[in-house]
Amino acid sequence: MPGTRQVERVSSPVMDGEERNLLAAWKKDPGSSAILTDIDGTLAPIVSTPDMAEVPAELKKLLRRLSEEYLLVAGISGRKTEDALGLVGLEDIVYFGNHGFEILRDGEVEVIPDALPYLEKVQELEQRARDELGPLGAFIEEKGITASIHYRNVSREIGERCVEFVKAEGERLGLRITVGRGVVEARPPIRADKGTAVRRLVEEYAPKRAMFLGDDTTDLDAFRELERLREEGVLEEVLRVGVASDEGPPEIVTEADIAVEGVDGVGEVLEALL
Ligand SMILES: [Mg+2]
């Protein structure tokens, strides 16, 4: 059973014969198989500024071919879906982004139904922030179903005022507020992550088997949801591909069925699926 196999961290990007055999089974029935993957750190090497991230041309080629053969190829990312599309550059795959709140396919962005009732409230908060905090120097990023107010470029005092303002508005409007480094974000108060994204895609496209490739903590939600879907009998087979890195959590390897090194290792897995 792929789900119960023990893996060891591999020191080179070269997969062993047993791992290749695991993938061989998938290519026999691509029409019932879904390939779900993280983007940053998995398809695109991590760089110091996210704007500079790039998916290597070789990988894009592989993804395009896979999307022609497989039931579903989807990129699942914390980025806005338009950013995810911009990064991968392929119109023919599905993008699940904005922390699991929106899907982009065939040129249309769709907010998940559970989050839709909060769209107006997020927009109201965004507008209030633009009126009140914009003049103070805060940057209000257009993100649709989530709102991000950046205060990195203002004084500490104004930064604190931004956080207080957004917290108070979030409470009034019933939104969840999170504070990051130089940014305060508002989002619908419902669970949405890479795990809920995986479940939604599996339920909608109904593959017999699904795999997920990822490198970071938020990808563990996807690994664990795949395992639950298999236990529930929704999926016959799952495969978790962990991309090992110095910054990633150890679980991305210990909870994986196959562990690879970096984006090169991912390319090798994708190639073996064709
Ligand atoms: Mg990542």
Side-chain angles (χ1 to χ4, degrees), residues 38-42 46 194 215-216 219:
D38 169 50
I39 299 177
D40 286 271
T42 300
I46 296 289
K194 291 186 182 179
D215 72 309
D216 213 341
D219 299 315

Side-chain angles (χ1 to χ4, degrees), residues 138-172:
F139 170 63
I140 291 87
E141 186 186 356
E142 296 269 359
K143 284 189 86 176
I145 190 61
T146 67
S148 294
I149 290 88
H150 300 265
Y151 55 87
R152 190 165 294 143
N153 297 325
V154 298
S155 70
R156 192 191 163 127
E157 189 190 305
I158 299 206
E160 279 166 12
R161 209 159 130 192
C162 289
V163 172
E164 288 319 307
F165 180 85
V166 174
K167 275 186 177 168
E169 283 296 295
E171 193 166 330
R172 181 176 72 82

